[in-house]
Amino acid sequence: MFGGASVPASNPHLRKSGSSKFKAVVSDLEAYDVENDAEDGVFGSMEANDSRGGGSTPMSFTAILPSPVLLWRFKVLLFLIWGFICCKIGWDSVMRMSADKRGLFLYEAFLYFNPLLLAALMVWLWGINLWFFAQAGVNYAKIFDHDQNHLTHREIWKCATWMTIIVPTSLTAYIYLYSQGEVSYAASQPVLLYAGVVLVLIFPFDIFYLSSRFYFLRTLGRIVFPLQAISFSDFFLADILTSMPKVFSDLERSVCRMVHRQVATIDWLEADSVCGSHSVAIPLVLVLPYIFRLNQCLRQYKDSGDKTSLLNALKYSTAVPVIFLSALKYHIFPDKWTNFYRPLWLLSSVINSLYSFYWDVNRDWDLSSFTRIFKFSKPHRLSHLLHGRRWVYFWVIGSNLVLRCTWTYKLSSHLRHNYRTVFTIAALEIFRRFQWIFFRVENEWNKMNSKSHIQLSGDEMSNEEEKLLDYSNNHSV
């Protein structure tokens, strides 16, 4: 509130408009209000003391408001209470089911809600990435060619918080309603959840970060149809999508069951006959992110003529044999799989893992010498812990190699019998991508700085040459 008029200074649309005039007006109004508040506080207290004959000063309005730390602790407490309630209701509902039905039901529930939980984990980690970039002075908005409306790490965490609340709440409602015999209401939970996610993404009104949502959708469109020059944000998001094929395959199976009305029923085996592991759609969905990234590399080669793009395209093509050789197990005799196709699958998995690991370290990260890693522009305890520390590089390189090999487990549909193991490996792959983002963005930022430095040096040299030419022309005989 400014001067009694309602001015929503905290409105994200006004705050993120990027207008320098608006910021100047807001700063002037804030300075004016601070002065008026100070004067009002002094004169108000004097008048109160005069009217009350030197009595006690009335409590100021700001003293009534809780501190930000207290509000944060209160929100954390509410979050913990909510989590305890969801766990309690879910556990009691599962224990109410018969033992023979419990395992199949948990697998069914995991199939519907696992993709969005993994997506929420990726959003949380992306917020941590942005926080590190801000602390290290990395201008990620310039790298990704963002305008003034880009989301900060706080807003990313706000989105992740809502995802973390809504998805488990819907899961708890699904389990509770099914245990109470309300099968139709239970079946509506994943349907409403998926429909809500789609509506939030395509909502055309200027709420829920409209510009950021449409930026995300436009980038997805350019990934699917690379009809123009590939920007850094295009192939960066496409690389992230290659770490989430399990999310997409589970989404495909979930939507397939919804379409065939096999949600929250006892006909799991019948549903598997239509949307099960043998479905041809599963390897097609798994391979799509790699095909998109391969097409981007070919488009980059067409635009620039750089042969490195062809080598990068070859890296993504090595994932195709892993996916389709694994899918063959459901369509051939067991003896033929064991004697011929399984060795080919193992060989293709090793080639894909080692090639991808080499490209991460030498191309995407350019770790030829251990000299970088986030020396924060502001004093921070992590500056001493991370900057130039060899253990950081050894940890990242070693964990990247291990997780690149385990990621083969995710590309192979015939290794998906234990959903807990599958979820753990999928979460670890997202964590590997979270580490990859740090070094990839830092490498790009260093390249941009070196290019600008070279350009600046060239401009300075040209200015010196012009001065010398002018001097020689003016003093020629």
Side-chain angles (χ1 to χ4, degrees), residues 2-73:
F2 294 93
S6 60
V7 180
S10 61
N11 191 318
H13 308 299
L14 296 179
R15 177 169 53 83
K16 291 182 172 296
S17 62
S19 173
S20 59
K21 295 181 180 179
F22 174 77
K23 294 178 181 177
V25 171
V26 171
S27 62
D28 293 339
L29 286 174
E30 289 176 348
Y32 177 76
D33 283 346
V34 169
E35 295 175 359
N36 289 344
D37 291 340
E39 294 175 358
D40 292 341
V42 173
F43 291 113
S45 61
M46 292 175 62
E47 292 174 1
N49 290 332
D50 293 340
S51 62
R52 299 181 183 182
S56 59
T57 303
M59 183 180 294
S60 62
F61 178 72
T62 56
I64 301 176
L65 295 177
S67 65
V69 176
L70 184 61
L71 283 176
W72 183 82
R73 291 177 179 176

Side-chain angles (χ1 to χ4, degrees), residues 214-269:
F214 276 30
Y215 176 85
F216 175 73
L217 294 176
R218 287 194 301 270
T219 306
L220 285 180
R222 293 194 299 269
I223 291 173
V224 178
F225 304 104
L227 303 178
Q228 58 186 19
I230 308 300
S231 65
F232 181 82
S233 59
D234 293 343
F235 70 75
F236 183 84
L237 180 58
D239 272 328
I240 292 177
L241 295 182
T242 59
S243 290
M244 305 180 71
K246 175 63 170 61
V247 173
F248 301 136
S249 64
D250 284 349
L251 284 175
E252 184 274 330
R253 297 178 70 182
S254 300
V255 173
C256 178
R257 294 186 181 219
M258 294 176 191
V259 171
H260 291 87
R261 298 183 179 182
Q262 298 290 345
V263 181
T265 67
I266 61 174
D267 300 328
W268 286 292
L269 296 177

Side-chain angles (χ1 to χ4, degrees), residues 303-315:
D303 294 337
S304 63
D306 186 6
K307 293 183 179 180
T308 305
S309 300
L310 294 179
L311 297 177
N312 200 12
L314 179 63
K315 180 193 73 172

